[in-house]
Amino acid sequence: MSKPWAFISVEKGTNGRMKQTRAPDPDPKRAAQQEKNKKLKKEWSERDKLKKAALKDAQRPRLGAGSPPTADLSALSRRACKRQRCSTDPNPDALSQNGPAVFDNGGDSGCNLGGHGSNPEESSLSKPHSPRSDYVSRVRGHELSPDTPAITWMDGTRTVVPFIPSNRGNALAADEDAVRRFSKFPDSRKSPYIVHLSGTNPPSVLVAQSRLHLSMGHTVVIDNAEKVEPLEFDMNWIADERRIELTRKVCVHDAFRRNGNVEDPHSEQTMRSFFDMVPNHSQIGCILDLPSAAPDHVPLITKLDDGLPAYQNMEDLFSRDHFMFKDTQNARNWELLHTGGFHTFEHHDAEGYATFLRIITGCKMWGIARPAGYAGANTRNALDEMNKLFIRTGEVEGSWRLKWEENGGEIYTITAEPGSLVIMPPGTWHLVYTPVRTLAVGGHLYMFETLHLTEVSRWFDRNHAREVTNTSHMSSFMTLCMMMCNLARKKRREFRCKPVQALCRMVIHWRKYLIKGEDPEIIQSINDMANDQRSCQLAQIIAKHIVAHFKFDLTVGAENDYLFAGEWLDAGPIIDLEPALVAFNGTDIRPNIDGSSAVSMEEIIKGEWTPSGGKNKKQKGKEAGKKRKKRN
């Protein structure tokens, strides 16, 4: 059989010289395979180039190891984003008008990072999708009353409103009013702080871009994150596929009960009775934070999470008293079950966690809210006052219209459908409307890049957690301590400045983040944890050494508050932690290659060895005495 490169034709060129050209392969199958291989080769070549470009652009200017990190990085961020801009961008002033890292997801401009070809549209930013246009016919007359009104959202999606028939019309009039206002806000692709990425990009590009955007307070939406098959879940599917038994008792959030008693809208039911609510037109409810019996491992989230790996990497040091809290595992994987027509009002998630959510079946209209001037806050008090606008004052009876909306705030709506993955940075104010029966899986996580946002959220919640968030997690302090211990062991040495300062502050001054009015038993457990757990004691030693090395000022609320060195949402410059952590070389924290260490963890915790001065005089005297005894 002749070789594919043997088909050569010779013809006369325009300059009179003879030239060789490749003739078409006479075998059509072989010719088609050659063309396919050529396209694949070109595609992977483009992927490699774009992957390197994305990873390079994710780097930020570095700060000297001993310099105080006070540089304003906003201009540098703008330059970095400008380098990423497509050459076809018709608006060269878009970045300067909207600040650092502006991505107009409608197609006017974008970053050609990680796409499959040279076409600017085929970038890491996903193309506008066509959401399902009708969530009315499958709900009205089935899950909700036939008299339920319908509305059209700004992206063209049609849904019903929350509706329970009563003598006065709609028993959920406040919910209906809130959803109608919600539907008038623009689509997320017009938002400067929500970015849509294509799930077809290489995983490394998605990880780098997600970390970068989340560190700046941007919500990330991965479109087409996975292939999904249409399904309708019912009791049998829940029991067989999700491994949730129908006799299991759950806490159900009842919309009608909430309308009369905001403080206590919950009731205890079984899973079977919850499904009985679906065809009942007088009931709308949901189950929040249901611990997952069949956890879904989302590869991207596994690579973004820095909390759970910290537990695993410190297992050798804390095998005796180290355990992973059940609360930590439950926070990492949970499920949400909603009947159609349930509306969740504005709130942010507890303990400064970042949150991810993936739709299994159904749909959610996910709104990201910000008050006017939020990104431009320049003091801690100003930021707290803006966050207080989300507290319900109860001044207007029968209405959930909050002050942030009256003062010119804005919402951008994400239409989350099966295959979408939504990742919110810590402290993101959001509201959610579920127009149709929906099952979603999600979880909470901590990331090194977003810990400055975690600190802001936890600082605000210490006074207002009961008014603006949905739950609390006792294990969060332990997770932060594990991350600090793991910081000394990580192969990675370069981190953003503000998150490092925030982590040090939350570990050292942990009492300042205790929620006022919290259950006394929980407060006592956290106090015992900080004083008795070796991991927490070691974390405080490492944090204090880092603070001393870089001369960090951890004062919150002062004029030199670390958060406002530049724009507060920006994570700051990159610093190299190796000069600070090299003192722990040869100890149990960072043992030698052969596993040996000259200093045990107990010696560090007891103060017999310090990272700045080595072994103290008392300890040196003991060792000298032992050597004399051996010689004698």
Side-chain angles (χ1 to χ4, degrees):
M1 181 170 135
S2 59
K3 304 209 176 270
W5 54 80
F7 300 100
I8 304 295
S9 64
V10 181
E11 59 183 16
K12 193 172 183 179
T14 55
N15 57 1
R17 296 182 181 181
M18 302 301 293
K19 66 175 183 178
Q20 293 181 344
T21 59
R22 182 173 302 196
D25 195 319
D27 187 342
K29 291 184 178 180
R30 196 163 54 208
Q33 185 62 40
Q34 288 179 25
E35 187 65 24
K36 183 178 179 180
N37 292 341
K38 183 179 178 181
K39 289 182 179 179
L40 286 174
K41 184 177 179 180
K42 182 179 179 181
E43 178 180 335
W44 282 108
S45 176
E46 287 292 334
R47 282 194 182 189
D48 290 340
K49 291 179 182 178
L50 296 168
K51 175 181 173 181
K52 292 178 181 179
L55 295 176
K56 182 177 180 181
D57 287 328
Q59 298 296 321
R60 304 293 294 274
R62 302 177 184 176
L63 202 67
S67 306
T70 57
D72 182 353
L73 266 289
S74 59
L76 295 171
S77 299
R78 285 193 289 271
R79 287 199 293 273
C81 290
K82 196 169 184 178
R83 287 196 302 271
Q84 297 174 7
R85 291 244 314 274
C86 298
S87 59
T88 57
D89 183 3
N91 183 9
D93 299 325
L95 286 170
S96 60
Q97 293 171 359
N98 295 287
V102 172
F103 298 90
D104 183 353
N105 300 323
D108 291 337
S109 62
C111 300
N112 191 7
L113 300 172
H116 296 295
S118 57
N119 189 338
E121 293 182 358
E122 296 179 2
S123 65
S124 66
L125 300 178
S126 66
K127 299 178 182 179
H129 71 304
S130 299
R132 177 173 180 158
S133 59
D134 180 22
Y135 285 103
V136 177
S137 59
R138 60 188 293 195
V139 179
R140 189 158 56 186
H142 302 283
E143 298 181 35
L144 297 181
S145 166
D147 300 326
T148 305
I151 56 174
T152 301
W153 297 69
M154 295 300 287
D155 67 349
T157 302
R158 293 185 70 247
T159 72
V160 294
V161 300
F163 187 84
I164 294 179
S166 69
N167 295 332
R168 291 179 292 180
N170 186 2
L172 302 180
D175 298 55
E176 179 183 354
D177 176 64
V179 171
R180 286 186 180 277
R181 296 197 316 273
F182 183 10
S183 67
K184 302 303 180 185
F185 284 94
D187 177 66
S188 60
R189 293 179 181 275
K190 299 179 180 179
S191 170
Y193 48 82
I194 301 175
V195 60
H196 285 255
L197 302 176
S198 174
T200 58
N201 285 293
S204 57
V205 173
L206 288 178
V207 171
Q209 287 293 293
S210 296
R211 285 190 179 274
L212 176 63
H213 286 291
L214 290 169
S215 72
M216 296 187 292
H218 297 169
T219 295
V220 173
V221 183
I222 311 295
D223 294 314
N224 303 315
E226 63 175 351
K227 294 182 179 180
V228 293
E229 297 181 1
L231 59 89
E232 294 288 343
F233 77 90
D234 54 18
M235 290 188 296
N236 295 328
W237 187 86
I238 285 289
D240 296 339
E241 299 297 328
R242 306 306 300 177
R243 309 299 299 275
I244 302 175
E245 300 301 333
L246 300 178
T247 54
R248 176 177 177 175
K249 289 186 177 181
V250 292
C251 182
V252 176
H253 193 117
D254 190 290
F256 180 77
R257 184 171 178 172
R258 178 184 63 188
N259 197 48
N261 185 1
V262 177
E263 302 298 328
D264 185 22
H266 306 97
S267 63
E268 189 176 60
Q269 302 180 25
T270 64
M271 285 296 301
R272 184 180 293 276
S273 64
F274 172 76
F275 275 96
D276 290 340
M277 297 175 64
V278 175
N280 189 341
H281 297 168
S282 62
Q283 286 186 301
I284 296 176
C286 72
I287 303 174
L288 301 175
D289 297 342
L290 177 67
S292 179
D296 291 77
H297 298 286
V298 183
L300 177 62
I301 300 300
T302 302
K303 294 180 179 180
L304 292 177
D305 185 11
D306 292 316
L308 286 189
Y311 283 91
Q312 299 160 349
N313 289 323
M314 302 307 296
E315 182 70 32
D316 61 311
L317 277 186
F318 307 116
S319 58
R320 187 180 66 191
D321 59 357
H322 162 219
F323 60 94
M324 188 181 298
F325 283 84
K326 181 180 179 182
D327 177 56
T328 305
Q329 297 171 317
N330 291 344
R332 182 60 171 74
N333 289 285
W334 36 254
E335 302 190 358
L336 302 176
L337 284 82
H338 286 70
T339 64
F342 193 93
H343 181 56
T344 303
F345 293 92
E346 296 95 322
H347 67 286
H348 71 207
D349 291 337
E351 301 293 353
Y353 275 119
T355 302
F356 72 92
L357 184 104
R358 185 167 64 91
I359 305 295
I360 300 296
T361 179
C363 172
K364 286 184 181 290
M365 311 305 289
W366 200 277
I368 306 298
R370 280 191 181 182
Y374 189 66
N378 54 14
T379 66
R380 186 77 64 151
N381 289 336
L383 189 56
D384 283 352
E385 289 300 319
M386 289 186 183
N387 287 328
K388 287 179 183 178
L389 297 175
F390 288 91
I391 298 176
R392 184 171 185 259
T393 60
E395 296 173 354
V396 181
E397 292 297 331
S399 173
W400 274 84
R401 189 180 181 93
L402 303 181
K403 289 183 178 180
W404 73 268
E405 191 176 347
E406 296 177 355
N407 291 356
E410 57 187 3
I411 301 173
Y412 289 95
T413 306
I414 302 165
T415 303
E417 297 177 303
S420 300
L421 176 64
V422 180
I423 312 173
M424 295 188 303
T428 299
W429 295 100
H430 60 287
L431 61 161
V432 187
Y433 179 55
T434 308
V436 64
R437 188 188 346 163
T438 298
L439 169 66
V441 296
H444 299 307
L445 65 152
Y446 282 137
M447 297 169 52
F448 281 116
E449 285 80 2
T450 62
L451 287 175
H452 61 303
L453 306 178
T454 295
E455 190 271 326
V456 170
S457 180
R458 296 184 76 224
W459 180 260
F460 178 75
D461 284 353
R462 80 196 195 282
N463 290 323
H464 305 287
R466 295 290 173 265
E467 302 163 294
V468 297
T469 191
N470 45 15
T471 186
S472 61
H473 298 278
M474 185 182 69
S475 64
S476 59
F477 174 62
M478 172 63 81
T479 303
L480 293 171
C481 288
M482 285 294 176
M483 290 175 67
M484 176 58 74
C485 293
N486 191 42
L487 194 65
R489 283 190 164 183
K490 289 185 73 67
K491 177 183 177 182
R492 172 186 171 191
R493 295 286 182 260
E494 296 177 341
F495 295 85
R496 300 295 180 89
C497 178
K498 288 184 184 179
V500 172
Q501 289 177 275
L503 180 59
C504 291
R505 192 177 197 284
M506 290 185 288
V507 168
I508 297 172
H509 303 299
W510 57 271
R511 290 182 181 86
K512 296 185 178 182
Y513 296 90
L514 296 177
I515 297 174
K516 293 182 180 179
E518 183 63 276
D519 186 338
E521 292 185 3
I522 295 180
I523 297 294
Q524 185 60 45
S525 297
I526 297 175
N527 186 70
D528 294 341
M529 189 191 309
N531 296 325
D532 301 335
Q533 290 283 349
R534 296 184 300 170
S535 54
C536 297
Q537 295 170 346
L538 185 61
Q540 294 184 46
I541 293 173
I542 297 173
K544 290 177 181 177
H545 181 66
I546 293 175
V547 169
H549 179 85
F550 287 101
K551 299 179 175 60
F552 286 152
D553 184 356
L554 302 183
T555 306
V556 168
E559 293 182 359
N560 57 345
D561 191 327
Y562 80 94
L563 186 66
F564 300 96
E567 297 178 4
W568 74 270
L569 284 168
D570 190 274
I574 290 177
I575 58 175
D576 187 358
L577 291 182
E578 182 59 21
L581 299 176
V582 70
F584 293 95
N585 287 353
T587 68
D588 275 353
I589 301 175
R590 301 175 79 175
N592 300 317
I593 296 178
D594 60 0
S596 62
S597 60
V599 181
S600 67
M601 182 181 61
E602 283 72 17
E603 289 177 320
I604 299 174
I605 292 175
K606 291 178 181 179
E608 297 175 355
W609 179 92
T610 59
S612 56
K615 295 185 178 181
N616 56 33
K617 292 181 180 180
K618 183 177 180 181
Q619 183 64 14
K620 289 179 180 179
K622 287 183 180 180
E623 292 183 357
K626 290 179 181 179
K627 289 181 180 179
R628 284 195 296 269
K629 287 181 180 180
K630 287 183 180 180
R631 285 198 299 267
N632 295 334

